[in-house]
């Protein structure tokens, strides 16, 4: 389920950013990422998104990251440690998988990062988990 047509899209205030490799939804406490089919999500693309995040949220934001895997694409899981060490803006991540292959990939990514990561089977589950993190409770 894509975020834009989901019930949470009508609940959470968000700004949509469409790039040639994916769609990004900037909500108050988290980002939802939907990478396009067949894309190789490389460091260059990740840096573009990081710059857009800083432009939107300002310097040193603390956000949740939801990877809504509605399409099949590739990413080198080792890039996430590089991302966290370079930008340090993601508190925790949720990976939404809609099939067994996606779930297996999410498990590999979860094992290769030191940040809290949850595998989810629905966008709703991911949003509930992210918004209930202690870092976002005031």
């Amino acid at each position: 389920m894509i975020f834009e047509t989901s019930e949470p899209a009508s609940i959470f205030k968000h700004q949509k950013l469409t790039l040639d490799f994916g769609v990004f939804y900037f909500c108050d406490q988290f980002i939802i990422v939907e990478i396009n089919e067949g894309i190789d999500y490389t460091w260059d693309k990740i840096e573009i998104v990081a710059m857009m995040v800083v432009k939107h949220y300002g310097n040193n934001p603390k956000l949740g990251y939801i990877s809504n895997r509605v399409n099949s694409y590739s990413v080198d899981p080792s890039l996430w440690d590089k991302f966290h060490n370079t930008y340090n803006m993601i508190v925790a991540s949720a990976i939404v998988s809609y099939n067994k292959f996606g779930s297996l990939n999410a498990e590999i990514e979860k094992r290769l990062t030191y940040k809290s990561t949850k595998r989810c089977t629905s966008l709703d589950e991911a949003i509930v988990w992210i918004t209930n993190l202690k870092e976002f409770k005031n």
Side-chain angles (χ1 to χ4, degrees):
M1 162 193 325
I2 63 171
F3 176 70
E4 193 167 47
T5 60
S6 70
E7 183 178 337
S10 64
I11 297 170
F12 291 93
K13 182 180 141 204
H14 62 278
Q15 181 179 351
K16 179 181 176 180
L17 171 66
T18 303
L19 298 173
D20 61 346
F21 54 89
V23 181
F24 305 83
Y25 301 95
F26 298 151
C27 300
D28 289 340
Q29 298 174 326
F30 56 90
I31 303 163
I32 297 176
V33 176
E34 296 173 351
I35 302 298
N36 293 342
E37 183 73 30
I39 291 295
D40 185 11
Y41 197 32
T42 60
W43 182 249
D44 292 343
K45 293 175 178 75
I46 292 169
E47 284 191 305
I48 291 168
V49 175
M51 287 186 291
M52 295 294 107
V53 168
V54 169
K55 183 177 179 181
H56 181 81
Y57 294 99
N59 292 327
N60 303 314
K62 296 299 177 199
L63 303 164
Y65 180 96
I66 299 174
S67 177
N68 190 26
R69 304 271 172 96
V70 292
N71 296 308
S72 179
Y73 63 92
S74 64
V75 62
D76 178 353
S78 68
L79 291 178
W80 293 120
D81 277 343
K82 182 178 179 179
F83 174 80
H84 295 310
N85 291 329
T86 303
Y87 296 102
N88 195 29
M89 62 177 68
I90 302 299
V91 172
S93 299
I95 303 170
V96 183
S97 302
Y98 296 95
N99 58 50
K100 187 170 179 92
F101 182 71
S103 184
L104 292 171
N105 282 338
E107 179 61 30
I108 291 168
E109 288 182 50
K110 180 178 177 171
R111 292 176 187 259
L112 294 175
T113 186
Y114 62 90
K115 295 283 185 165
S116 180
T117 303
K118 179 171 177 60
R119 292 180 307 147
C120 301
T121 57
S122 74
L123 187 55
D124 290 338
E125 178 187 6
I127 291 171
V128 167
W129 182 73
I130 287 283
T131 57
N132 283 300
L133 291 171
K134 69 178 189 260
E135 290 85 354
F136 301 127
K137 296 294 181 189
N138 293 336

